[in-house]
Amino acid sequence: MGEKLFVVKEERFPYNDFPLHIHPEYEIIYVMKSSGKRYVGDSIAPFWPGDLCLLGPNLPHTFYNKHLPGDREVHQIVIQFREDVLGDGFFDKPIFRHIKALFERSLYGISFNSDVRDAAARKMHDMVNGDETEALAGLISLLNLLAHAGSYTLLSGHVTAHVEKETERMNRIYHYLLDNFKKDLTLQEVAGIAHLSNEAFCRYFKKHTRKTLSAFVNDLRISYACKMLQQQQEVSISEVCYESGFNNVSYFNRQFKLQVGVSPLHYRRKK
């Protein structure tokens, strides 16, 4: 972070294809424009405009949407800081006990629900537009707001130890699947990317994603299909099916309804 006490920045780029990564800073991310997949620890979930997360130090994460069709532009505000941003032990004072508890929860990754999003967004915009002193005061105010949020979701099922080798391995797996999910993939092929036997890979992948390989690939395909249904009204349901990587329309319809709750046709009409 150089000379600065912490980083606050507004970002725009055509799409998000950052690798799964870790860093020692806490990170707050507010998404104004973009949608795709959010990977935090062993949590894999969609993200949308309005997504607000706090990620603790050394928690593997990425937000990814390069694999989706259509408009993938990203517009977001990101804040990165260390716990000693105001000196060693600053947040250990009793007055900051709620923020200290927030930091402990953030080791799992936290997604905040609607009760604080608008207020947090305003504070983050003010931080971007203010000078460094104003931004620092804003950071404490923002952390206090998030610490008292009544509704939030812990993302990862466990605190992830700082193991850079494992992060690199999962990154190879994720990127291979994101680049190839529309193809017919075999377990042996993907296990080879991880340099594991088929049996060891299945255990490893389930531990790190809480999903089987087939469920993960189907999830990517359904996300791609949803985007196509939203943005390409002229394309038939069968074309969406095959373009998304499925090779059977009936199976596609069943999987789509299982994940989304409605048929592809009803989903398109609702959008």
Side-chain angles (χ1 to χ4, degrees):
M1 285 189 273
E3 296 292 323
K4 293 188 175 181
L5 290 174
F6 68 103
V7 171
V8 53
K9 55 189 175 181
E10 186 171 354
E11 299 178 322
R12 292 179 184 267
F13 34 89
Y15 51 77
N16 198 330
D17 66 342
F18 290 118
L20 189 72
H21 61 285
I22 55 178
H23 47 70
E25 295 84 14
Y26 292 87
E27 184 168 74
I28 303 171
I29 303 175
Y30 175 65
V31 178
M32 290 173 280
K33 180 181 181 183
S34 187
S35 61
K37 286 290 183 184
R38 180 191 344 108
Y39 303 84
V40 177
D42 63 2
S43 168
I44 304 164
F47 72 89
W48 311 96
D51 200 77
L52 175 65
C53 291
L54 169 61
L55 309 175
N58 300 317
L59 178 61
H61 64 277
T62 189
F63 288 57
Y64 197 98
N65 71 353
K66 185 181 178 183
H67 65 298
L68 296 175
D71 182 12
R72 298 167 292 183
E73 183 186 1
V74 178
H75 185 196
Q76 62 187 20
I77 296 177
V78 175
I79 299 169
Q80 293 179 333
F81 62 97
R82 299 193 184 223
E83 190 167 343
D84 63 357
V85 60
L86 289 168
D88 289 336
F90 181 83
F91 288 107
D92 292 333
K93 298 176 176 64
I95 191 174
F96 296 122
R97 64 186 181 281
H98 296 295
I99 293 177
K100 192 72 173 178
L102 175 72
F103 288 161
E104 292 172 2
R105 293 195 294 274
S106 76
L107 298 177
Y108 297 87
I110 308 171
S111 174
F112 294 93
N113 300 329
S114 58
D115 65 326
V116 298
R117 281 179 187 162
D118 289 345
R122 288 193 295 271
K123 290 179 184 293
M124 293 175 77
H125 278 289
D126 288 343
M127 290 174 67
V128 167
N129 296 318
D131 63 28
E132 191 169 11
T133 303
E134 292 169 331
L136 185 57
L139 176 62
I140 297 174
S141 178
L142 175 62
L143 291 172
N144 188 56
L145 172 70
L146 298 180
H148 289 87
S151 183
Y152 59 84
T153 302
L154 296 183
L155 298 176
S156 187
H158 60 273
V159 174
T160 306
H162 176 184
V163 183
E164 194 165 350
K165 181 179 177 181
E166 291 307 312
T167 303
E168 291 173 356
R169 174 183 273 175
M170 281 307 303
N171 185 55
R172 288 200 310 272
I173 296 168
Y174 280 149
H175 275 266
Y176 187 80
L177 294 175
L178 287 161
D179 288 342
N180 295 281
F181 68 89
K182 291 193 280 183
K183 301 177 183 177
D184 288 329
L185 295 170
T186 66
L187 173 59
Q188 184 173 2
E189 176 185 355
V190 183
I193 298 297
H195 305 297
L196 294 170
S197 69
N198 290 0
E199 295 77 12
F201 175 83
C202 289
R203 293 192 298 270
Y204 178 86
F205 193 77
K206 188 70 178 288
K207 175 185 175 182
H208 285 82
T209 67
R210 291 185 276 181
K211 294 176 183 280
T212 63
L213 177 62
S214 60
F216 183 90
V217 172
N218 277 348
D219 195 27
L220 291 176
R221 290 171 174 170
I222 294 298
S223 295
Y224 188 91
C226 286
K227 203 75 169 178
M228 283 193 71
L229 291 166
Q230 291 170 19
Q231 298 185 351
Q232 301 180 35
Q233 295 292 323
E234 73 286 355
V235 177
S236 70
I237 299 299
S238 61
E239 287 177 298
V240 172
C241 162
Y242 296 122
E243 177 62 24
S244 301
F246 292 96
N247 54 22
N248 181 288
V249 175
S250 297
Y251 180 72
F252 166 65
N253 285 329
R254 288 197 303 273
Q255 289 298 313
F256 193 97
K257 189 167 185 179
L258 186 66
Q259 287 198 35
V260 182
V262 295
S263 70
L265 185 59
H266 280 87
Y267 180 85
R268 169 175 275 170
R269 288 173 177 169
K270 284 171 59 179
K271 295 298 175 181

